[in-house]
Amino acid sequence: MPREIITLQVGQCGNQIGGEFWKQLCLEHGIAPNGLLKGAEDNDDNVNANINHQQRGRGGEGTGVTNSINPNFIDDRKDVFFYQSDDERYIPRALLIDLEPRVVNKLTVHGPYRDLFN
């Protein structure tokens, strides 16, 4: 049974806390600010395909198996909080809502994790 969590960030405070939340999740799951796995961002497409194949081959269950590209990170259930796009990027499952676009723009246009969001 797939488990997916969508975060809802509302207002200035919600979006600022949400930005820190996604930053921490990226650190915990080994995802770089551009949405790629750390250690795989400088490698070729064969390596990225290998990671994708390993993740699909484990039947969707978190096994605690270490990643062959970067053994410091454990293969875990990134798909709970992130959507993995066709180009191997992880995109947060999040809705950012605010009447004032300044805080949302700080996260999605000007911030260090701007390539994480679409």
Side-chain angles (χ1 to χ4, degrees):
M1 177 178 195
R3 294 187 176 114
E4 298 170 351
I5 296 175
I6 300 174
T7 62
L8 181 63
Q9 301 167 201
V10 180
Q12 180 177 356
C13 181
N15 283 304
Q16 288 174 337
I17 292 172
E20 293 299 316
F21 172 76
W22 289 109
K23 189 184 306 183
Q24 185 64 34
L25 271 181
C26 287
L27 290 173
E28 289 177 4
H29 292 282
I31 298 173
N34 62 1
L36 295 173
L37 285 176
K38 289 183 180 178
E41 51 195 4
D42 295 329
N43 296 323
D44 61 4
D45 291 336
N46 293 334
V47 173
N48 290 334
N50 185 27
I51 292 171
N52 191 30
H53 177 70
Q54 289 175 355
Q55 289 173 344
R56 289 188 181 140
R58 59 172 203 230
E61 296 296 324
T63 60
V65 177
T66 57
N67 187 322
S68 65
I69 301 306
N70 191 341
N72 295 328
F73 297 108
I74 297 175
D75 284 338
D76 53 2
R77 299 294 311 265
K78 293 174 184 66
D79 58 337
V80 172
F81 288 103
F82 295 93
Y83 166 76
Q84 187 176 10
S85 65
D86 292 337
D87 63 351
E88 302 300 323
R89 292 189 183 277
Y90 286 93
I91 302 168
R93 297 179 192 274
L95 294 174
L96 287 66
I97 301 171
D98 199 347
L99 295 176
E100 169 62 42
R102 183 177 44 87
V103 176
V104 174
N105 285 343
K106 186 177 179 184
L107 293 174
T108 61
V109 178
H110 303 295
Y113 285 83
R114 64 184 169 268
D115 294 333
L116 187 66
F117 298 95
N118 60 350

